[in-house]
Amino acid sequence: MSAPDSSQSLRIVVTDPIISRFEEALRSDGGAHHWDMAAAWSPQRRAAALAAADVVVCSALPPSEAEAAGNVRLVHVTGAGYDKISFPHLSPGATVANTFHHARPIAEHVLMVMLMLSRNVVRADREVRTGQWRTIATGPDVPFHPVLSDLVLGVVGLGSIGAEVARVAAAMGMKVRAVRRNPAGPLPAGVKLDWVGGNADLPALLAGSDVVVVTVPLAEDTRGMIGAAELGAMKPSAILINVARGAVVDQAALYAALSERRIAGAGLDVWWGTPAEGVVPPAQWPFTDLDNTVLTPHHSGHARVTFERRARDIAANIGRLATGLPLHNVVRTGPVSAG
């Protein structure tokens, strides 16, 4: 790639409604670009804009939109996951990049759910709302709370989210263990583990952990990674928290383990279907009836700072594309030179 001598004007189409709320930060590269904030446009109007786009900023690019964007040079995903980008329908000349900044908010969410489940907050809240006052002073069957420093955390996957969960848990005094694809690889900065194994060591991790946090991306080798056998390896007192994707955990097996009290609880910031118009997707099993679950709408990373920093990342990459500099966070390479 030759050294840039000037900045190009680019046509940029933004289809993600969330990142559109940070338009000022998106434009902060300062280039004289043409922007189409197309999140609310009709499919026909959006397709016309995509046909002329140099850059598409999106959370998803379905086949029809990928085909419409036949001249696109950069598809910038507005988060870490790019499983909703239709790569087979995308121009071979397009580079795809992503962005992160959600690890700390998700780690804080995991900490919150850990405390809620280990201290039976959901159950206690429901009891108080129905006029019951049950504590260790009123009922011998009410359990004492553990403190986090007495618990072992098992992290499944050690990417940016898993690493931050490990850091936060260690700061609270928890013993932290993990499995990852390459157990011999260097640990992320600031992560200290009591034990690390490969994915084949998952049963050992599950058997020895009081809290298991699932952070792996969804792929063919992780779909159904936590099934009946894996849940059966967990302690009856253990908690499972999934902040990855629903399909990493077998839905029927998890419901059975929770309803039969074979594990103590689960925190689910994921689901197994796609929401439509703000409605919870239908589940095959009634998780909402259980008092040992904390259910949230995949919002654990939705801190304002997450999107402010993502918008600045995207703006910086647009600036690099316009001036012919190498792009950051590339997940698929295409010819992106300015000339």
Side-chain angles (χ1 to χ4, degrees), residues 119-137:
R119 298 184 176 217
N120 297 309
V121 170
V122 174
R123 192 178 308 158
D125 177 82
R126 291 182 182 180
E127 289 171 350
V128 170
R129 290 174 188 275
T130 58
Q132 300 179 69
W133 191 270
R134 297 184 68 250
T135 74
I136 58 171

Side-chain angles (χ1 to χ4, degrees), residues 11 41 105 193 286 335:
R11 296 188 67 90
W41 288 7
L193 300 177

Side-chain angles (χ1 to χ4, degrees), residues 10-13 53-57 72-76 318 321:
L10 301 170
R11 296 188 67 90
I12 304 162
V13 178
D54 297 301
V55 178
V56 177
V57 178
V72 69
R73 296 164 58 194
L74 171 62
V75 174
H76 211 305
I318 289 171
L321 179 66

